[in-house]
């Protein structure tokens, strides 16, 4: 069995597991409401995997045409998938920070700035060597792959450090989603380093990407079929710095009543002299009596 058949079989298995994960996802109505972007990502990945698998098995056109068609679909699907994952990570953050609405609002602002910064990095990195041309597209997608991977790994680190403090657990669906995204991020990091100078349609790195995606889909399938423990009530001490920062964040952008603060009036010189004279006269009066 050659490498092409191995990649094709791995893609078929990955697509099947993705469909199972999507089915398990649809079983939970709270998941559909809270993580609609994740549902869109799973649906789009099924369509993308079927399209790429078809292109690998069709040999009607010349190899160059098939190569261009395959990687056009691949990079377009990755672009759309990265956009859906960005919104999925925002929804994950919103869900985790639900008990702290002020910090959740600040986090949404930071997510917007991350998107703007990543876009600038992707565009400038791609246009630097080639300018405005089709040759810059693969470089732009590779830089996007790296930026998305960094955000996914940061989200996984945040979940690993904060789930228990925010009333969740490692058995929660939100942590399972983050762990799967971490697997995809690790896979994309390695692929972005190995495919910077181009890669054939059938390669070891292509197989590595299929296996990484398969592991992430398999993990999500397990998590979506498991029963999620109820979220615990968040208990924060009244003197907690986290509570203070949440109150500060809630106050940002909201106008409130204003208090006029004026400096205390300075005493006039003649008033002081008059008070001194009055004190001397009153003392003398007491001595005479």
């Amino acid at each position: 069995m050659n490498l092409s058949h191995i990649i094709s079989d791995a893609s078929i298995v990955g697509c099947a597991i993705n469909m199972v994960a999507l089915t398990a996802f649809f079983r939970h109505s709270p998941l559909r409401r809270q993580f609609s972007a994740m549902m869109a990502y799973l649906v789009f990945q099924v369509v993308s995997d079927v399209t790429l698998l078809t292109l690998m098995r069709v040999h009607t056109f010349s190899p160059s045409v098939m190569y261009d068609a395959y990687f056009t679909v691949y990079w377009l699907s990755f672009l759309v998938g990265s956009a859906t994952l960005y919104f999925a990570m925002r929804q994950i953050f919103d869900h985790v920070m639900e008990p702290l609405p002020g910090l959740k609002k600040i986090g949404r602002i930071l997510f917007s700035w991350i998107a703007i910064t990543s876009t600038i990095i992707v565009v400038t990195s791609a246009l630097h060597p080639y300018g405005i041309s089709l040759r810059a597209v693969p470089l732009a997608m590779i830089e996007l792959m790296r930026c998305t991977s960094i955000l996914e790994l940061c989200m996984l680190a945040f979940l690993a450090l904060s789930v228990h403090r925010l009333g969740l657990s490692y058995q929660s669906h939100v942590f399972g989603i983050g762990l799967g995204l971490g697997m995809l991020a690790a896979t994309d990091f390695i692929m972005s380093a190995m495919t910077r100078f181009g890669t054939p349609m059938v390669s070891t790195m292509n197989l590595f990407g299929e296996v990484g995606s398969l592991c992430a889909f398999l993990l999500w399938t397990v998590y979506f079929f498991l029963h999620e423990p109820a979220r615990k009530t968040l208990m924060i001490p009244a003197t907690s710095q986290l509570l203070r920062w949440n109150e500060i964040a809630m106050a940002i952008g909201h106008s409130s009543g204003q208090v006029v603060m004026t400096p205390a009036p300075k005493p006039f010189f003649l008033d002081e002299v008059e008070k001194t004279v009055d004190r001397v006269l009153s003392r003398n009066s007491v001595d005479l009596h």
Side-chain angles (χ1 to χ4, degrees):
M1 181 180 293
N2 57 27
L3 185 60
S4 176
H5 289 115
I6 296 176
I7 295 174
S8 178
D9 293 341
S11 179
I12 293 174
V13 174
C15 185
I17 295 178
N18 189 5
M19 291 180 180
V20 177
L22 185 60
T23 302
F25 189 94
F26 271 105
R27 292 175 61 248
H28 303 278
S29 57
L31 279 177
R32 296 197 303 269
R33 293 194 304 269
Q34 296 169 355
F35 307 111
S36 56
M38 187 64 194
M39 181 179 63
Y41 174 77
L42 292 175
V43 172
F44 182 78
Q45 283 300 117
V46 171
V47 177
S48 174
D49 289 344
V50 171
T51 304
L52 292 175
L53 183 62
T54 303
L55 290 175
M56 287 191 65
R57 288 181 171 270
V58 171
H59 302 286
T60 306
F61 304 98
S62 62
S64 60
V65 173
M66 295 304 302
Y67 178 89
D68 293 338
Y70 180 88
F71 278 101
T72 298
V73 174
Y74 177 84
W75 289 122
L76 284 177
S77 63
F78 180 80
L79 177 62
V80 177
S82 297
T84 55
L85 284 182
Y86 167 79
F87 289 105
M89 285 184 281
R90 281 187 52 172
Q91 291 176 345
I92 291 172
F93 183 83
D94 288 348
H95 177 72
V96 173
M97 300 300 294
E98 195 67 35
L100 300 169
L103 295 179
K104 182 176 74 171
K105 181 179 68 173
I106 295 297
R108 293 178 69 90
I109 296 174
L110 292 177
F111 265 93
S112 300
W113 279 107
I114 289 172
I116 294 173
T117 304
S118 299
T119 303
I120 294 174
I121 293 174
V122 168
V123 174
T124 55
S125 300
L127 296 182
H128 175 66
Y130 298 118
I132 302 176
S133 66
L134 293 178
R135 298 179 63 186
V137 174
L139 286 180
M141 293 299 102
I142 291 172
E143 293 300 329
L144 178 61
M145 184 181 292
R146 291 177 178 173
C147 293
T148 306
S149 299
I150 292 173
L151 184 58
E152 290 169 350
L153 291 175
C154 289
M155 177 59 66
L156 177 58
F158 169 74
L159 291 174
L161 295 174
S162 64
V163 285
H164 290 299
R165 295 182 179 181
L166 295 173
L168 298 168
S169 67
Y170 292 141
Q171 289 78 34
S172 301
H173 290 150
V174 65
F175 182 78
I177 295 174
L179 187 58
L181 293 180
M183 289 184 177
L184 291 179
T187 303
D188 290 342
F189 253 130
I190 298 175
M191 291 186 65
S192 65
M194 299 300 295
T195 61
R196 184 174 181 84
F197 302 102
T199 182
M201 188 169 64
V202 178
S203 65
T204 305
M205 292 310 303
N206 198 340
L207 177 61
F208 179 79
E210 292 293 342
V211 173
S213 300
L214 190 153
C215 292
F217 293 143
L218 183 61
L219 177 71
W220 286 333
T221 301
V222 173
Y223 261 93
F224 295 154
F225 272 112
L226 290 177
H227 176 71
E228 182 181 29
R231 186 168 190 169
K232 299 178 181 178
T233 304
L234 185 62
M235 303 294 293
I236 301 178
T239 58
S240 173
Q241 292 294 326
L242 184 63
L243 187 60
R244 174 176 288 272
W245 280 109
N246 180 66
E247 294 173 352
I248 293 173
M250 290 182 65
I252 294 176
H254 294 281
S255 60
S256 59
Q258 298 179 352
V259 178
V260 178
M261 303 295 293
T262 58
K266 294 182 179 180
F268 188 56
F269 174 72
L270 294 179
D271 292 338
E272 292 296 322
V273 172
E274 183 179 356
K275 292 179 182 178
T276 303
V277 172
D278 290 339
R279 285 197 297 268
V280 172
L281 292 176
S282 61
R283 189 181 301 116
N284 292 337
S285 176
V286 172
D287 294 339
L288 290 175
H289 287 85

